[in-house]
Amino acid sequence: MSTASPPAGTQSSPAPTQEAPGAYRVMWISTISFTVMFAVWLMFGILGIPIQKELGLTDPELAWISAVAVLNGSLWRLPAGMLADRIGGRKMTIAMLAITAVPAYLVAHTRSYGMLLLLAFLVGFAGNLFTVGIAWNAAWFTRKRQGFALGLFGAGNIGASATKFIGPALITGTAGATYFGFVEGGWRIVPVIYSVLLIVLAIATWIIAPRNDRMPGASKPVGEMLAPLRHLRVWRFSLYYVAVFGAYVALSAWMPKYYVDNFDVPLQTAALLTASFIFPASLLRPVGGWISDKWGARKAMYLTFGVMLLTTGILMMPNGHLVIAHADGTQSEHLAWNLGLVPVATLVFLLGCAMGIGKAAVYKHIPEYYPDNVGSVGGLVGMLGGLGGFILPPLFAYTKVWTGFPTSTFFVLFVLIAICATWMHVTILRMHERESPGIARDIDDAGVLSTSSTRLSEVSS
């Protein structure tokens, strides 16, 4: 049976039984493109600090710059995923790279908070490439290899660390300079560099990606593509993704400022510490896909939520001590608690490891349950997960203002993860009971019979 991809414009392609020629070209060019687009999407995590100083912004105003970028990077994930299934990931990727390059370049020339807010929103369109790449890779790989392929593509999240590495050095090294007569140095040079990279990648995708694309939804009615969204399961997956991806996006943007404000470290150090969270949260995504392929996505999710609850549970506790008032009027202090920079960075690193595995595990569920609707289901899950990244940064800022505790950031995450873990566990227990309703009754009956026999034996003796 031939595995060659069908000509462009034909009807929907069946799921491949083995990787077709061109599958790995799709995987690598989509991963590289997504990596750069993700860097553009979250560049305000580092650029926001010098921008805040230049424009005199408050913390909530700064949080909204990252938040609106994340918002627009989430709103279009559902239609983008559906379009990738319908017209092919190649066309969608080229178009999105070219479109995003324009506002990325214009960011370098903004002078006001209002204009920056608008351009940050437009730049955020970059985040929607995720569901395009998920649908594109799922169409080219067999189910046996989808976990790894989607995990490797998702490792493009590592782009969030790109600005953390190159940003501080570029900002410091080019401050006050002007290039080509119109490109200013400092923080303004970073979006210009990204805009050039996006155009280069659009051209590279046009050259490298297979011309005859796979389009599993080419002839499928829109209503049929949206039908799975009525299932509660899809919305449950979406909430999981808020916890493992939305929180990842939020922390990627929030942690540089968290380290600067609470540990008085320079921006470059804060950027490197944040990168120590981003790297495992991104690079372990292929590992999470492999674990999900080998042992199942549910076990991977139990591991993910367990580690996340443990780490955020420790990180959310504010520094302090117990004060005991004695009967004689004196006071004494006990159980002093103070998490230093190294323990915090270590726990955040472990939190990133768990998120990396969990992001792949969530998306492993989708082609298993909805093999013919990866674009629409993956689009909704990605959209709601991204919206979590929009909601959380302002929530971090406002809870800090309300409580006075910087560690309230991790309390917000702990509550979110606890809700997800509880819902997942209850759902799995109900599934077990539905699939094997007699087991519980048999165990109970056996226990009753055993207890009755013991009592009869005691009476007779």
Side-chain angles (χ1 to χ4, degrees):
M1 179 174 159
S2 174
T3 58
S5 58
T10 60
Q11 294 187 349
S12 61
S13 310
T17 56
Q18 66 182 59
E19 277 68 56
Y24 288 94
R25 279 187 285 150
V26 167
M27 183 177 71
W28 286 112
I29 193 61
S30 65
T31 300
I32 294 169
S33 297
F34 177 54
T35 301
V36 177
M37 287 283 265
F38 208 88
V40 173
W41 189 33
L42 297 184
M43 66 180 176
F44 295 105
I46 288 296
L47 300 188
I49 295 176
I51 287 172
Q52 183 180 31
K53 292 179 180 178
E54 181 178 320
L55 299 182
L57 307 180
T58 65
D59 283 356
E61 284 175 333
L62 177 62
W64 278 110
I65 292 175
S66 294
V68 295
V70 173
L71 173 64
N72 198 33
S74 309
L75 288 177
W76 309 105
R77 288 188 169 201
L78 175 56
M82 293 173 62
L83 276 172
D85 273 347
R86 202 170 187 85
I87 68 173
R90 180 177 180 270
K91 293 176 182 175
M92 287 293 297
T93 299
I94 293 170
M96 292 180 68
L97 287 165
I99 289 170
T100 307
V102 177
Y105 173 78
L106 293 176
V107 165
H109 300 280
T110 186
R111 302 290 174 183
S112 68
Y113 177 65
M115 182 57 67
L116 182 63
L117 207 60
L118 173 62
L119 290 173
F121 177 79
L122 296 176
V123 164
F125 186 68
N128 296 291
L129 188 66
F130 174 72
T131 49
V132 171
I134 287 290
W136 196 15
N137 280 277
W140 279 85
F141 283 86
T142 64
R143 293 187 191 180
K144 185 178 180 180
R145 296 285 292 169
Q146 277 174 342
F148 173 76
L150 299 184
L152 182 64
F153 167 76
N157 289 166
I158 200 173
S161 66
T163 314
K164 272 70 174 177
F165 279 114
I166 69 172
L170 275 173
I171 292 168
T172 303
T174 64
T178 302
Y179 301 89
F180 309 110
F182 61 93
V183 178
E184 296 182 48
W187 67 265
R188 297 177 187 276
I189 199 170
V190 177
V192 173
I193 292 172
Y194 280 146
S195 66
V196 172
L197 281 174
L198 293 177
I199 295 298
V200 169
L201 281 170
I203 296 170
T205 303
W206 181 76
I207 296 170
I208 294 171
R211 298 291 179 92
N212 295 328
D213 210 352
R214 288 181 177 268
M215 295 170 282
S219 61
K220 189 178 295 185
V222 173
E224 185 179 339
M225 297 177 77
L226 293 173
L229 305 190
R230 295 195 296 264
H231 300 168
L232 182 61
R233 179 192 295 121
V234 174
W235 297 87
R236 178 163 51 86
F237 293 162
S238 299
L239 184 62
Y240 297 169
Y241 207 59
V242 171
V244 296
F245 176 74
Y248 161 77
V249 170
L251 288 178
S252 296
W254 185 255
M255 288 308 294
K257 182 171 177 56
Y258 186 90
Y259 284 126
V260 169
D261 288 351
N262 296 293
F263 297 100
D264 197 27
V265 297
L267 177 58
Q268 189 161 7
T269 301
L272 291 174
L273 289 170
T274 304
S276 72
F277 159 74
I278 292 170
F279 264 87
S282 304
L283 294 180
L284 287 181
R285 192 159 182 164
V287 176
W290 177 80
I291 290 172
S292 299
D293 283 340
K294 191 171 182 64
W295 288 294
R298 289 181 193 166
K299 291 180 180 178
M301 290 307 302
Y302 270 116
L303 173 65
T304 294
F305 287 148
V307 173
M308 291 180 72
L309 284 171
L310 177 63
T311 52
T312 56
I314 298 173
L315 286 165
M316 73 179 183
M317 291 187 284
N319 297 332
H321 54 265
L322 291 177
V323 177
I324 297 178
H326 300 282
D328 60 1
T330 61
Q331 293 182 340
S332 59
E333 299 177 0
H334 303 272
L335 301 176
W337 171 261
N338 182 25
L339 271 182
L341 178 61
V342 173
V344 168
T346 302
L347 288 167
V348 172
F349 168 80
L350 294 174
L351 180 62
C353 293
M355 287 179 171
I357 293 171
K359 285 185 286 186
V362 171
Y363 265 86
K364 172 63 176 176
H365 286 87
I366 295 172
E368 291 289 336
Y369 283 96
Y370 304 100
D372 298 323
N373 293 284
V374 174
S376 58
V377 176
L380 179 70
V381 172
M383 180 182 74
L384 295 181
L387 286 174
F390 160 70
I391 294 169
L392 288 171
L395 192 57
F396 293 161
Y398 287 121
T399 53
K400 178 184 174 183
V401 172
W402 295 333
T403 65
F405 297 140
T407 54
S408 61
T409 292
F410 297 101
F411 173 74
V412 172
L413 296 181
F414 181 85
V415 172
L416 171 63
I417 298 157
I419 292 170
C420 292
T422 301
W423 192 2
M424 181 181 75
H425 187 62
V426 169
T427 299
I428 290 173
L429 290 179
R430 287 176 177 172
M431 289 171 62
H432 288 173
E433 184 178 353
R434 186 169 61 249
E435 294 297 324
S436 303
I439 292 179
R441 290 196 300 271
D442 291 343
I443 293 173
D444 290 340
D445 291 344
V448 170
L449 290 173
S450 175
T451 304
S452 301
S453 299
T454 302
R455 289 176 178 171
L456 287 171
S457 176
E458 290 174 351
V459 171
S460 62
S461 62

